[in-house]
Amino acid sequence: MTQSSQKDRVVIFDTTLRDGEQSPGATMSHFEKLEIAELLDEMGVDIIEAGFPIASEGDFNAVREIARLAKTSVICGLARANYGDIDRCWDAVKHAQKPRIHTFIGTSPLHRAIPNLNTDEMAERIHETVTHARNLCDNVQWSPMDATRTETDYLCRVVEIAIKAGATTINIPDTVGYTAPVESSELISMLIENVPGADDVVFATHCHNDLGMATANSLAAVAGGARQIECTINGLGERAGNTALEEVVMAMKVRGDIMPYYTGIDTTKLMNISRRVATVSGFPVQFNKSIVGKNAFAHESGIHQDGMLKNAKTFEIMRPEDVGLAATNLVMGKHSGRAALRSKLEELGYSLGDNQLKDVFVRFKALADRKKEVFDDDLIALMRAGEDAENDRLVLKSLKVLCGTEGPQSADMTLLIDGTEVSTRAIGDGPVDAAFNAVKALHGHTARLQLYQVHAVTEGTDAQATVTVRMEEAGTITTGESADTDTVVASVKAYINALNRLLMRQDQIGQDKKAISYKDVS
Ligand code: KIV
Ligand code: ZN
């Protein structure tokens, strides 16, 4: 690699497991976090921010385990600007071949008011905490939270302090998604020009998407001299989310003519990891989402299809294969065998052991019996519907609903709860309401339904319905998902899936001595 190409290399810092997971309802289990970290590592992500170790035992254990297992990525943990956080973070990441401590403090006037520090006191705190982190680890990232709303002079002052104290990466967060591309670029170039020691560190950009400009702002920051982009898969993250990894990576790849930068990401793995993150976080990808949306490469109108048949480039600026989308949507059916199913699932990014395949094959056959043609999207829905099954405390055994123009609609239901069979009949305002009431009668809970969403997976009246249900109880939010050709069955399974996740999450919280937010500044 030549000297000039090295300077155009943009480091990808993925924070799906930290900033992404902080999104209400996106909580992932320990094993889901390990799986996503492995996929990020394999895809060529340079730095994985694996969590916020002081937040809870669960976060600490996940970061420590990811640090132990990572093969090539740097493993980073988040810490507020105090010794307790930094020590805990180091304890978790020190097992990595390449560890990093990321410490931060809010520097804008609004954020300075939270710990009630004046500018000099805050400057002192930054000096002490970055020095402490650097004494533990030779790879230290420092972030002035809400940098884009921090006074320019003060920002230059604190960045210089952090560099002198030993920070090796300076991240400039647009915490509330307030900046715009021109400003984002100018801020980074201003810091590089004016702060002594700036040439010795990497500048990073960390954008939130509140005004829909996170991707543009991140790329503009790179044009201004940043060489690390912080991002998440599918743009997962609090409020409107973070910069989407797949968008910045593909933008630099496709428009290398005007953005001559490159990353180490294997883009053919994007689709698979996007699906996995959507499944484990319970945040479905919107159909028209750039790069990884279901419609991103679909051409339906006659004029588009005609153009595509003559030359794919007419309407495609990148090839579906480049992002890991199978070139064909080979239809499967009830005569398809186990080997064909295995190879199709591998193409879709699922590699299964023999026992898992056995279980999926049974469910595939049941689906193929009800549905003549089984498409890729059906198989993806089938795989998603099978998640968590092993640890489920509630299982749907049978359901019969009475619906139609004459009320009341009713549901006869049998559930297995911790292995014991229980049955009831409930009525409701429509079959879904009746069925949800039956679940509630069998397993009393105070969880509130926040979202109930139904989508047809494919076309036709025999299409599977995928249902997403989000529940909230005492501040804990979980999302459940399921698919079935019967919409009411899919709804009940999704509801039960959300409840199972809630029970699992409550167990985890019970085990954690404390669970704090990174915003509780101390
Ligand atoms: O958005 C933000 O400012 C953050 C910091 C912790 C880097 O996520
Ligand atoms: Zn953030």
Side-chain angles (χ1 to χ4, degrees):
M1 192 177 294
T2 66
Q3 209 47 18
S4 71
S5 69
Q6 268 287 25
K7 79 175 177 24
D8 299 329
R9 167 78 155 85
V10 173
V11 165
I12 295 295
F13 176 109
D14 180 278
T15 183
T16 307
L17 297 173
R18 199 278 298 168
D19 220 338
E21 212 239 357
Q22 248 160 243
S23 176
T27 319
M28 300 174 201
S29 73
H30 182 78
F31 293 105
E32 288 167 344
K33 287 183 190 172
L34 299 193
E35 185 202 338
I36 298 301
E38 192 182 351
L39 293 175
L40 292 169
D41 196 0
E42 280 170 12
M43 188 171 69
V45 161
D46 300 283
I47 300 140
I48 299 173
E49 187 164 52
F52 178 35
I54 195 90
S56 68
E57 288 296 310
D59 258 54
F60 177 86
N61 291 335
V63 177
R64 190 180 50 180
E65 194 79 359
I66 290 168
R68 284 193 173 127
L69 296 172
K71 292 198 179 81
T72 48
S73 307
V74 172
I75 301 301
C76 173
L78 183 69
R80 293 168 301 180
N82 66 66
Y83 288 8
D85 272 40
I86 292 169
D87 291 345
R88 188 79 175 139
C89 178
W90 175 240
D91 276 347
V93 298
K94 70 181 177 199
H95 307 278
Q97 289 176 33
K98 296 185 241 167
R100 174 181 289 190
I101 296 175
H102 176 193
T103 180
F104 75 99
I105 194 160
T107 51
S108 67
L110 284 166
H111 283 259
R112 288 199 301 263
I114 303 173
N116 199 17
L117 296 177
N118 66 32
T119 47
D120 290 339
E121 289 163 343
M122 179 162 287
E124 182 55 26
R125 172 84 77 95
I126 294 163
H127 170 74
E128 282 169 8
T129 50
V130 175
T131 304
H132 183 67
R134 187 56 207 264
N135 285 338
L136 297 169
C137 181
D138 59 12
N139 188 339
V140 172
Q141 170 166 329
W142 180 73
S143 296
M145 186 160 74
D146 207 14
T148 53
R149 293 192 299 167
T150 300
E151 305 89 325
T152 307
D153 286 355
Y154 190 58
L155 188 62
C156 288
R157 178 178 165 198
V158 288
V159 167
E160 183 179 349
I161 290 171
I163 295 174
K164 285 208 173 111
T168 44
T169 297
I170 299 291
N171 176 35
I172 301 300
D174 182 30
T175 304
V176 290
Y178 178 72
T179 199
V182 174
E183 203 177 67
S184 176
S185 177
E186 284 174 0
L187 182 60
I188 299 286
S189 52
M190 182 280 293
L191 288 167
I192 294 175
E193 266 166 43
N194 292 297
V195 175
D199 290 343
D200 303 329
V201 297
V202 172
F203 275 84
T205 176
H206 175 113
C207 298
H208 282 264
N209 203 28
D210 298 65
L211 291 172
M213 293 193 279
T215 295
N217 288 338
S218 301
L219 294 169
V222 170
R227 285 295 176 270
Q228 174 176 303
I229 297 181
E230 307 210 353
C231 44
T232 59
I233 302 294
N234 298 339
L236 193 67
E238 275 191 290
R239 307 185 311 277
N242 290 62
T243 300
L245 180 148
E246 62 278 5
E247 292 178 13
V248 284
V249 167
M250 287 311 290
M252 288 186 278
K253 187 168 170 151
V254 173
R255 295 308 312 272
D257 55 333
I258 53 163
M259 290 181 276
Y261 315 109
Y262 66 99
T263 70
I265 299 294
D266 174 356
T267 62
T268 64
K269 298 199 186 300
L270 286 171
M271 206 64 209
N272 178 36
I273 195 161
S274 161
R275 287 181 186 133
R276 293 304 298 147
V277 168
T279 303
V280 302
S281 66
F283 275 61
V285 176
Q286 83 194 46
F287 284 6
N288 58 343
K289 163 88 180 62
S290 317
I291 320 294
V292 290
K294 185 174 148 73
N295 289 356
F297 292 90
H299 303 275
E300 265 180 39
S301 78
I303 207 167
H304 280 213
Q305 285 181 347
D306 185 45
M308 285 296 294
L309 289 172
K310 290 187 178 123
N311 181 352
K313 285 190 178 153
T314 325
F315 287 104
E316 261 175 19
I317 56 166
M318 53 199 152
R319 295 176 317 153
E321 305 90 279
D322 292 343
V323 301
L325 197 64
T328 61
N329 189 358
L330 232 179
V331 182
M332 309 272 292
K334 68 176 170 192
H335 300 298
S336 307
R338 208 176 288 210
L341 179 66
R342 185 196 285 276
S343 110
K344 186 76 210 172
L345 288 173
E346 266 165 15
E347 206 179 289
L348 294 174
Y350 298 94
S351 64
L352 304 184
D354 287 346
N355 281 345
Q356 279 172 304
L357 182 68
K358 216 161 125 189
D359 165 61
V360 174
F361 190 65
V362 172
R363 292 191 291 121
F364 162 71
K365 281 284 174 192
L367 177 64
D369 270 344
R370 281 181 285 151
K371 198 171 181 296
K372 251 197 353 252
E373 297 174 315
V374 178
F375 296 95
D376 290 359
D377 285 336
D378 285 314
L379 290 176
I380 293 164
L382 186 91
M383 294 303 295
R384 288 158 79 137
E387 300 280 329
D388 295 354
E390 271 173 42
N391 306 315
D392 287 353
R393 288 182 53 194
L394 312 183
V395 178
L396 176 67
K397 189 127 192 279
S398 70
L399 171 69
K400 205 174 256 176
V401 292
L402 186 69
C403 62
T405 50
E406 309 278 308
Q409 287 81 19
S410 64
D412 288 300
M413 180 180 292
T414 301
L415 292 185
L416 281 178
I417 302 185
D418 294 326
T420 305
E421 207 170 291
V422 284
S423 302
T424 194
R425 164 172 295 179
I427 56 166
D429 204 358
V432 174
D433 191 46
F436 283 14
N437 286 341
V439 176
K440 213 166 176 178
L442 294 172
H443 171 74
H445 60 81
T446 56
R448 217 170 42 84
L449 187 69
Q450 279 195 336
L451 171 91
Y452 169 67
Q453 197 170 274
V454 185
H455 286 299
V457 174
T458 54
E459 279 140 38
T461 49
D462 67 346
Q464 288 195 94
T466 40
V467 179
T468 309
V469 164
R470 188 168 303 146
M471 321 265 297
E472 185 270 339
E473 189 169 51
T476 305
I477 302 174
T478 52
T479 307
E481 201 181 78
S482 194
D484 200 283
T485 48
D486 183 317
T487 310
V488 186
V489 171
S491 302
V492 172
K493 285 187 175 168
Y495 186 68
I496 289 176
N497 184 225
L499 279 176
N500 277 320
R501 288 175 159 224
L502 198 58
L503 292 168
M504 188 179 77
R505 186 74 195 124
Q506 283 162 347
D507 276 358
Q508 266 173 13
I509 291 173
Q511 283 159 21
D512 289 348
K513 303 244 174 341
K514 51 189 168 178
I516 57 170
S517 152
Y518 83 108
K519 290 180 203 137
D520 305 330
V521 181
S522 62

